[in-house]
Amino acid sequence: MISRKNASISKFIIHKVGNKFNDTKNAFSENTVDFDEASYDLMLPFLLRPFGNVVQSYRFNHHASIALNEINSYCTQLFKDEEAFIDVSKHIVTHLFEQSTSSNIKTGDVLVVMFEGIEYQDMTTNAIGVFKIESKVNFFQTYLENKTYDVLVQKGISSKKVDKGCLILNQSDTEGNIILSVDNNSYDAQYWINQFLNIKYADDSNNHTQQYIELCKEFSTEVLKTSYGAQEHNTFLAKTIDFFKENEVVNVERFKEDIFEGEKQIRQFEDYKKEYEGEQNLVIRNQFDVAERVVNKEKKKIKTDIKLDTNIQIKLDIDAPDASTEYLERGYDNEKKMHYYKVFFNSED
């Protein structure tokens, strides 16, 4: 999560990346962009706005040595020698082109940018941004000809969001440079994250919190909802979020004791956790610090509606995890041959 209030663009160049499977070539600029005031005032927030809500960060990855990671190498060179900006930006685009291992990967504009004054946590730093624009939108352009206004359709870049982008900060910790990434066209996320950038999540509380909540969401959908129904599924998620908000540190054993009422569900959760870790190729820690910003972000994503096939929906309050158990009763009517929910309340708005 960054602040852009003091940020500025020091260097900016546009190239075009092709796709070797579609026989489209790269096209390179030989000079940086010289902005006018209006375009600069639109471009700066367009590029940096997506990172204002990014909580998790990444670090460079490589099977042999981080120094051999291509983007890491290019960024290290740029941070040391900004005069090499144009040449290195071309290498970055060529590397992106080499990762187009499928005809489904789109061609597009690639923006390589040097930023100054990026504020991240308690530090101010410069950063390198790489952005890929894959989608163009239609817009109307009016023009005057022979004393009459006419209209034509043109294609351009929408100023609402970037398709893919990353920020490599000129700041590091024990794991290396801090990297932020966004992807609004996630159908080819592995191409951007694993192949082009070759990055992994940082080993920090943000990642640990995210992993555990993802595990709980998957477990609630695949096991609880399937075996026990939507009420149990939603109650578990509400209790999970409540546990994370009430505790600064998550201990997995305590979590299981507080959330589950019976040994059967505990065993189901333990079995699913082992299977999940194997499928995701990760190990979830048994104790970790809670990242409050991640919890708040994930809470907004969780849907606690019970949708019935009789065109009725029951919305449960995720901030009241015990309400479902106390005031909502599920049963079966033998006469109607249908399931039912009984809701208890004192008054209605």
Short mmCIF file of all heavy atoms in Angstrom, two decimals, residues 72-120:
data_model
loop_
_atom_site.label_atom_id
_atom_site.label_comp_id
_atom_site.label_asym_id
_atom_site.label_seq_id
_atom_site.Cartn_x
_atom_site.Cartn_y
_atom_site.Cartn_z
N ASN A 72 15.03 -8.48 -11.87
CA ASN A 72 15.88 -8.01 -10.77
C ASN A 72 17.17 -7.42 -11.30
O ASN A 72 17.62 -6.35 -10.87
CB ASN A 72 16.17 -9.17 -9.82
CG ASN A 72 17.06 -8.76 -8.67
OD1 ASN A 72 16.93 -7.67 -8.12
ND2 ASN A 72 18.00 -9.62 -8.29
N SER A 73 17.78 -8.10 -12.26
CA SER A 73 19.04 -7.63 -12.84
C SER A 73 18.85 -6.29 -13.56
O SER A 73 19.65 -5.36 -13.39
CB SER A 73 19.58 -8.67 -13.82
OG SER A 73 20.73 -8.21 -14.48
N TYR A 74 17.76 -6.17 -14.34
CA TYR A 74 17.50 -4.93 -15.07
C TYR A 74 17.23 -3.77 -14.11
O TYR A 74 17.71 -2.64 -14.33
CB TYR A 74 16.33 -5.10 -16.02
CG TYR A 74 16.59 -6.10 -17.13
CD1 TYR A 74 15.58 -6.97 -17.57
CD2 TYR A 74 17.83 -6.20 -17.75
CE1 TYR A 74 15.82 -7.88 -18.58
CE2 TYR A 74 18.07 -7.11 -18.76
CZ TYR A 74 17.06 -7.96 -19.17
OH TYR A 74 17.29 -8.87 -20.17
N CYS A 75 16.47 -4.02 -13.06
CA CYS A 75 16.14 -2.96 -12.12
C CYS A 75 17.38 -2.52 -11.33
O CYS A 75 17.55 -1.32 -11.06
CB CYS A 75 15.04 -3.42 -11.17
SG CYS A 75 13.42 -3.57 -11.97
N THR A 76 18.20 -3.47 -10.95
CA THR A 76 19.45 -3.13 -10.26
C THR A 76 20.30 -2.21 -11.12
O THR A 76 20.87 -1.22 -10.64
CB THR A 76 20.24 -4.41 -9.93
OG1 THR A 76 19.45 -5.24 -9.07
CG2 THR A 76 21.55 -4.07 -9.22
N GLN A 77 20.34 -2.51 -12.42
CA GLN A 77 21.10 -1.67 -13.34
C GLN A 77 20.51 -0.27 -13.44
O GLN A 77 21.24 0.73 -13.44
CB GLN A 77 21.15 -2.33 -14.73
CG GLN A 77 22.00 -1.59 -15.74
CD GLN A 77 22.05 -2.29 -17.09
OE1 GLN A 77 21.54 -3.42 -17.24
NE2 GLN A 77 22.65 -1.65 -18.07
N LEU A 78 19.19 -0.18 -13.52
CA LEU A 78 18.54 1.13 -13.64
C LEU A 78 18.70 1.98 -12.39
O LEU A 78 18.88 3.20 -12.48
CB LEU A 78 17.06 0.95 -13.97
CG LEU A 78 16.71 0.55 -15.41
CD1 LEU A 78 15.22 0.40 -15.57
CD2 LEU A 78 17.24 1.60 -16.39
N PHE A 79 18.60 1.35 -11.22
CA PHE A 79 18.75 2.11 -9.99
C PHE A 79 20.17 2.69 -9.87
O PHE A 79 20.37 3.74 -9.26
CB PHE A 79 18.44 1.24 -8.77
CG PHE A 79 16.97 0.96 -8.58
CD1 PHE A 79 16.51 -0.32 -8.28
CD2 PHE A 79 16.04 1.99 -8.69
CE1 PHE A 79 15.16 -0.56 -8.09
CE2 PHE A 79 14.68 1.75 -8.50
CZ PHE A 79 14.25 0.47 -8.21
N LYS A 80 21.15 2.00 -10.48
CA LYS A 80 22.53 2.47 -10.43
C LYS A 80 22.85 3.46 -11.55
O LYS A 80 23.69 4.34 -11.39
CB LYS A 80 23.49 1.27 -10.52
CG LYS A 80 23.49 0.38 -9.29
CD LYS A 80 24.46 -0.77 -9.46
CE LYS A 80 24.48 -1.67 -8.22
NZ LYS A 80 25.40 -2.82 -8.40
N ASP A 81 22.19 3.30 -12.70
CA ASP A 81 22.53 4.11 -13.87
C ASP A 81 21.28 4.44 -14.66
O ASP A 81 20.87 3.70 -15.56
CB ASP A 81 23.54 3.34 -14.75
CG ASP A 81 23.93 4.12 -15.99
OD1 ASP A 81 23.69 5.35 -16.03
OD2 ASP A 81 24.48 3.51 -16.93
N GLU A 82 20.63 5.57 -14.36
CA GLU A 82 19.40 5.96 -15.05
C GLU A 82 19.66 6.33 -16.51
O GLU A 82 18.72 6.36 -17.31
CB GLU A 82 18.74 7.13 -14.33
CG GLU A 82 18.16 6.76 -12.97
CD GLU A 82 17.28 7.87 -12.40
OE1 GLU A 82 16.85 8.74 -13.18
OE2 GLU A 82 17.03 7.85 -11.18
N GLU A 83 20.92 6.60 -16.87
CA GLU A 83 21.23 6.92 -18.26
C GLU A 83 21.01 5.73 -19.18
O GLU A 83 20.86 5.88 -20.38
CB GLU A 83 22.68 7.41 -18.37
CG GLU A 83 22.96 8.71 -17.63
CD GLU A 83 22.07 9.84 -18.12
OE1 GLU A 83 21.93 9.99 -19.36
OE2 GLU A 83 21.52 10.57 -17.27
N ALA A 84 20.96 4.53 -18.59
CA ALA A 84 20.73 3.32 -19.38
C ALA A 84 19.24 3.01 -19.54
O ALA A 84 18.88 1.94 -20.03
CB ALA A 84 21.44 2.13 -18.72
N PHE A 85 18.38 3.97 -19.17
CA PHE A 85 16.94 3.72 -19.09
C PHE A 85 16.36 3.20 -20.40
O PHE A 85 15.64 2.20 -20.42
CB PHE A 85 16.23 5.01 -18.66
CG PHE A 85 14.73 4.88 -18.60
CD1 PHE A 85 14.12 4.21 -17.56
CD2 PHE A 85 13.92 5.42 -19.60
CE1 PHE A 85 12.74 4.08 -17.50
CE2 PHE A 85 12.55 5.29 -19.56
CZ PHE A 85 11.96 4.62 -18.50
N ILE A 86 16.65 3.85 -21.51
CA ILE A 86 16.02 3.46 -22.79
C ILE A 86 16.46 2.04 -23.19
O ILE A 86 15.62 1.20 -23.54
CB ILE A 86 16.36 4.47 -23.89
CG1 ILE A 86 15.72 5.83 -23.57
CG2 ILE A 86 15.87 3.97 -25.27
CD1 ILE A 86 16.07 6.93 -24.55
N ASP A 87 17.75 1.77 -23.13
CA ASP A 87 18.24 0.45 -23.53
C ASP A 87 17.70 -0.65 -22.62
O ASP A 87 17.26 -1.71 -23.10
CB ASP A 87 19.78 0.43 -23.51
CG ASP A 87 20.39 1.22 -24.65
OD1 ASP A 87 19.68 1.44 -25.66
OD2 ASP A 87 21.56 1.63 -24.53
N VAL A 88 17.72 -0.41 -21.32
CA VAL A 88 17.24 -1.44 -20.38
C VAL A 88 15.74 -1.64 -20.54
O VAL A 88 15.25 -2.78 -20.44
CB VAL A 88 17.60 -1.05 -18.94
CG1 VAL A 88 16.97 -2.03 -17.94
CG2 VAL A 88 19.12 -1.04 -18.75
N SER A 89 14.99 -0.58 -20.81
CA SER A 89 13.54 -0.73 -21.01
C SER A 89 13.24 -1.64 -22.20
O SER A 89 12.27 -2.41 -22.18
CB SER A 89 12.88 0.64 -21.19
OG SER A 89 13.21 1.22 -22.45
N LYS A 90 14.08 -1.58 -23.22
CA LYS A 90 13.91 -2.48 -24.37
C LYS A 90 14.17 -3.93 -23.97
O LYS A 90 13.47 -4.85 -24.41
CB LYS A 90 14.86 -2.08 -25.50
CG LYS A 90 14.56 -0.73 -26.13
CD LYS A 90 15.58 -0.41 -27.20
CE LYS A 90 15.34 0.97 -27.82
NZ LYS A 90 16.36 1.28 -28.85
N HIS A 91 15.18 -4.14 -23.12
CA HIS A 91 15.46 -5.50 -22.64
C HIS A 91 14.28 -6.05 -21.83
O HIS A 91 13.97 -7.24 -21.93
CB HIS A 91 16.72 -5.50 -21.77
CG HIS A 91 17.98 -5.14 -22.50
ND1 HIS A 91 18.23 -5.56 -23.80
CD2 HIS A 91 19.05 -4.40 -22.11
CE1 HIS A 91 19.41 -5.10 -24.17
NE2 HIS A 91 19.92 -4.39 -23.19
N ILE A 92 13.66 -5.19 -21.05
CA ILE A 92 12.49 -5.61 -20.26
C ILE A 92 11.37 -6.09 -21.18
O ILE A 92 10.73 -7.12 -20.95
CB ILE A 92 12.02 -4.46 -19.35
CG1 ILE A 92 13.04 -4.21 -18.25
CG2 ILE A 92 10.64 -4.76 -18.76
CD1 ILE A 92 12.76 -2.98 -17.41
N VAL A 93 11.12 -5.34 -22.26
CA VAL A 93 10.06 -5.71 -23.21
C VAL A 93 10.43 -7.00 -23.94
O VAL A 93 9.58 -7.87 -24.16
CB VAL A 93 9.80 -4.57 -24.21
CG1 VAL A 93 8.83 -5.01 -25.30
CG2 VAL A 93 9.24 -3.36 -23.48
N THR A 94 11.69 -7.15 -24.31
CA THR A 94 12.14 -8.38 -24.97
C THR A 94 11.95 -9.59 -24.05
O THR A 94 11.50 -10.66 -24.48
CB THR A 94 13.62 -8.27 -25.38
OG1 THR A 94 13.77 -7.18 -26.28
CG2 THR A 94 14.09 -9.54 -26.05
N HIS A 95 12.25 -9.41 -22.77
CA HIS A 95 12.04 -10.49 -21.80
C HIS A 95 10.56 -10.83 -21.69
O HIS A 95 10.18 -12.01 -21.62
CB HIS A 95 12.60 -10.08 -20.44
CG HIS A 95 12.33 -11.07 -19.36
ND1 HIS A 95 12.79 -12.37 -19.38
CD2 HIS A 95 11.63 -10.95 -18.19
CE1 HIS A 95 12.40 -13.01 -18.30
NE2 HIS A 95 11.69 -12.17 -17.56
N LEU A 96 9.70 -9.82 -21.69
CA LEU A 96 8.26 -10.06 -21.65
C LEU A 96 7.80 -10.81 -22.89
O LEU A 96 6.99 -11.75 -22.81
CB LEU A 96 7.52 -8.72 -21.54
CG LEU A 96 5.99 -8.77 -21.49
CD1 LEU A 96 5.51 -9.53 -20.26
CD2 LEU A 96 5.40 -7.35 -21.49
N PHE A 97 8.35 -10.43 -24.05
CA PHE A 97 8.02 -11.11 -25.30
C PHE A 97 8.41 -12.59 -25.25
O PHE A 97 7.66 -13.46 -25.72
CB PHE A 97 8.77 -10.42 -26.45
CG PHE A 97 8.62 -11.09 -27.79
CD1 PHE A 97 7.48 -10.90 -28.56
CD2 PHE A 97 9.61 -11.91 -28.29
CE1 PHE A 97 7.34 -11.52 -29.80
CE2 PHE A 97 9.49 -12.53 -29.51
CZ PHE A 97 8.35 -12.33 -30.27
N GLU A 98 9.55 -12.90 -24.67
CA GLU A 98 10.02 -14.28 -24.59
C GLU A 98 9.12 -15.16 -23.71
O GLU A 98 9.15 -16.38 -23.82
CB GLU A 98 11.46 -14.33 -24.08
CG GLU A 98 12.48 -13.76 -25.05
CD GLU A 98 12.48 -14.48 -26.39
OE1 GLU A 98 12.29 -15.72 -26.39
OE2 GLU A 98 12.63 -13.82 -27.43
N GLN A 99 8.33 -14.53 -22.85
CA GLN A 99 7.43 -15.31 -21.99
C GLN A 99 6.07 -15.55 -22.63
O GLN A 99 5.20 -16.17 -22.02
CB GLN A 99 7.22 -14.58 -20.64
CG GLN A 99 8.50 -14.14 -19.95
CD GLN A 99 9.58 -15.19 -19.96
OE1 GLN A 99 9.34 -16.35 -19.58
NE2 GLN A 99 10.78 -14.81 -20.38
N SER A 100 5.87 -15.07 -23.85
CA SER A 100 4.59 -15.29 -24.54
C SER A 100 4.57 -16.70 -25.11
O SER A 100 4.75 -16.91 -26.30
CB SER A 100 4.38 -14.23 -25.63
OG SER A 100 5.43 -14.28 -26.57
N THR A 101 4.35 -17.65 -24.23
CA THR A 101 4.40 -19.07 -24.59
C THR A 101 3.04 -19.61 -25.01
O THR A 101 2.86 -20.82 -25.11
CB THR A 101 4.94 -19.89 -23.41
OG1 THR A 101 4.13 -19.61 -22.25
CG2 THR A 101 6.38 -19.51 -23.10
N SER A 102 2.09 -18.74 -25.24
CA SER A 102 0.75 -19.16 -25.65
C SER A 102 0.17 -18.12 -26.60
O SER A 102 0.42 -16.92 -26.45
CB SER A 102 -0.17 -19.32 -24.44
OG SER A 102 -1.53 -19.40 -24.83
N SER A 103 -0.60 -18.58 -27.55
CA SER A 103 -1.25 -17.65 -28.48
C SER A 103 -2.33 -16.82 -27.80
O SER A 103 -2.81 -15.83 -28.34
CB SER A 103 -1.86 -18.43 -29.65
OG SER A 103 -2.81 -19.38 -29.18
N ASN A 104 -2.74 -17.23 -26.59
CA ASN A 104 -3.78 -16.50 -25.86
C ASN A 104 -3.25 -15.25 -25.17
O ASN A 104 -4.03 -14.39 -24.75
CB ASN A 104 -4.42 -17.41 -24.80
CG ASN A 104 -5.21 -18.56 -25.42
OD1 ASN A 104 -5.80 -18.40 -26.48
ND2 ASN A 104 -5.19 -19.71 -24.78
N ILE A 105 -1.94 -15.14 -25.03
CA ILE A 105 -1.35 -13.96 -24.39
C ILE A 105 -1.43 -12.78 -25.34
O ILE A 105 -1.01 -12.86 -26.49
CB ILE A 105 0.10 -14.24 -23.97
CG1 ILE A 105 0.12 -15.31 -22.87
CG2 ILE A 105 0.78 -12.97 -23.48
CD1 ILE A 105 1.50 -15.77 -22.49
N LYS A 106 -1.95 -11.69 -24.85
CA LYS A 106 -2.25 -10.55 -25.71
C LYS A 106 -1.04 -9.67 -25.96
O LYS A 106 -0.15 -9.55 -25.11
CB LYS A 106 -3.37 -9.70 -25.08
CG LYS A 106 -4.71 -10.43 -24.97
CD LYS A 106 -5.77 -9.54 -24.37
CE LYS A 106 -7.11 -10.26 -24.27
NZ LYS A 106 -8.14 -9.40 -23.66
N THR A 107 -1.00 -9.08 -27.13
CA THR A 107 -0.02 -8.03 -27.42
C THR A 107 -0.49 -6.74 -26.75
O THR A 107 -1.62 -6.66 -26.24
CB THR A 107 0.12 -7.82 -28.93
OG1 THR A 107 -1.16 -7.42 -29.46
CG2 THR A 107 0.54 -9.12 -29.61
N GLY A 108 0.34 -5.71 -26.78
CA GLY A 108 -0.10 -4.46 -26.17
C GLY A 108 1.01 -3.46 -26.00
O GLY A 108 2.15 -3.68 -26.41
N ASP A 109 0.67 -2.35 -25.39
CA ASP A 109 1.64 -1.30 -25.08
C ASP A 109 2.31 -1.63 -23.74
O ASP A 109 1.63 -2.06 -22.80
CB ASP A 109 0.96 0.06 -24.97
CG ASP A 109 0.32 0.50 -26.27
OD1 ASP A 109 0.77 0.04 -27.33
OD2 ASP A 109 -0.64 1.29 -26.23
N VAL A 110 3.60 -1.41 -23.67
CA VAL A 110 4.34 -1.60 -22.42
C VAL A 110 4.91 -0.25 -22.00
O VAL A 110 5.65 0.38 -22.77
CB VAL A 110 5.46 -2.65 -22.56
CG1 VAL A 110 6.22 -2.78 -21.24
CG2 VAL A 110 4.88 -3.99 -22.98
N LEU A 111 4.57 0.19 -20.81
CA LEU A 111 5.07 1.44 -20.27
C LEU A 111 6.12 1.12 -19.22
O LEU A 111 5.85 0.38 -18.27
CB LEU A 111 3.93 2.25 -19.63
CG LEU A 111 2.57 2.26 -20.36
CD1 LEU A 111 1.57 3.08 -19.55
CD2 LEU A 111 2.72 2.81 -21.76
N VAL A 112 7.31 1.66 -19.39
CA VAL A 112 8.36 1.51 -18.39
C VAL A 112 8.60 2.89 -17.79
O VAL A 112 8.81 3.86 -18.54
CB VAL A 112 9.65 0.93 -18.99
CG1 VAL A 112 10.71 0.73 -17.90
CG2 VAL A 112 9.36 -0.39 -19.71
N VAL A 113 8.57 2.97 -16.47
CA VAL A 113 8.52 4.28 -15.81
C VAL A 113 9.48 4.31 -14.62
O VAL A 113 9.58 3.33 -13.87
CB VAL A 113 7.08 4.58 -15.31
CG1 VAL A 113 6.97 6.02 -14.80
CG2 VAL A 113 6.05 4.29 -16.39
N MET A 114 10.14 5.44 -14.47
CA MET A 114 10.91 5.71 -13.25
C MET A 114 10.12 6.71 -12.41
O MET A 114 9.74 7.78 -12.90
CB MET A 114 12.28 6.29 -13.59
CG MET A 114 13.26 5.31 -14.20
SD MET A 114 13.90 4.08 -13.03
CE MET A 114 14.83 5.12 -11.91
N PHE A 115 9.86 6.34 -11.15
CA PHE A 115 9.13 7.21 -10.23
C PHE A 115 10.07 7.72 -9.14
O PHE A 115 10.99 7.03 -8.71
CB PHE A 115 7.98 6.45 -9.55
CG PHE A 115 6.89 6.01 -10.48
CD1 PHE A 115 6.83 4.69 -10.93
CD2 PHE A 115 5.89 6.88 -10.89
CE1 PHE A 115 5.81 4.27 -11.77
CE2 PHE A 115 4.86 6.47 -11.73
CZ PHE A 115 4.83 5.15 -12.17
N GLU A 116 9.77 8.92 -8.67
CA GLU A 116 10.43 9.48 -7.49
C GLU A 116 9.37 9.74 -6.43
O GLU A 116 8.19 9.95 -6.74
CB GLU A 116 11.15 10.78 -7.85
CG GLU A 116 12.15 10.69 -8.98
CD GLU A 116 13.41 9.96 -8.61
OE1 GLU A 116 13.67 9.82 -7.39
OE2 GLU A 116 14.15 9.53 -9.52
N GLY A 117 9.78 9.74 -5.17
CA GLY A 117 8.88 10.16 -4.09
C GLY A 117 7.76 9.20 -3.77
O GLY A 117 6.70 9.62 -3.29
N ILE A 118 7.96 7.89 -4.01
CA ILE A 118 6.95 6.89 -3.63
C ILE A 118 7.03 6.67 -2.13
O ILE A 118 8.10 6.38 -1.58
CB ILE A 118 7.19 5.56 -4.37
CG1 ILE A 118 7.07 5.74 -5.88
CG2 ILE A 118 6.21 4.49 -3.86
CD1 ILE A 118 5.69 6.02 -6.38
N GLU A 119 5.91 6.80 -1.43
CA GLU A 119 5.88 6.58 0.02
C GLU A 119 5.30 5.20 0.31
O GLU A 119 4.17 4.90 -0.08
CB GLU A 119 5.06 7.67 0.70
CG GLU A 119 5.65 9.05 0.55
CD GLU A 119 4.80 10.14 1.18
OE1 GLU A 119 3.95 9.80 2.01
OE2 GLU A 119 4.97 11.33 0.82
N TYR A 120 6.10 4.37 0.97
CA TYR A 120 5.68 3.01 1.32
C TYR A 120 5.99 2.79 2.79
O TYR A 120 7.15 2.87 3.20
CB TYR A 120 6.42 1.99 0.45
CG TYR A 120 6.08 0.55 0.78
CD1 TYR A 120 4.89 -0.02 0.34
CD2 TYR A 120 6.95 -0.24 1.53
CE1 TYR A 120 4.57 -1.33 0.63
CE2 TYR A 120 6.64 -1.56 1.82
CZ TYR A 120 5.45 -2.09 1.37
OH TYR A 120 5.14 -3.41 1.67
#
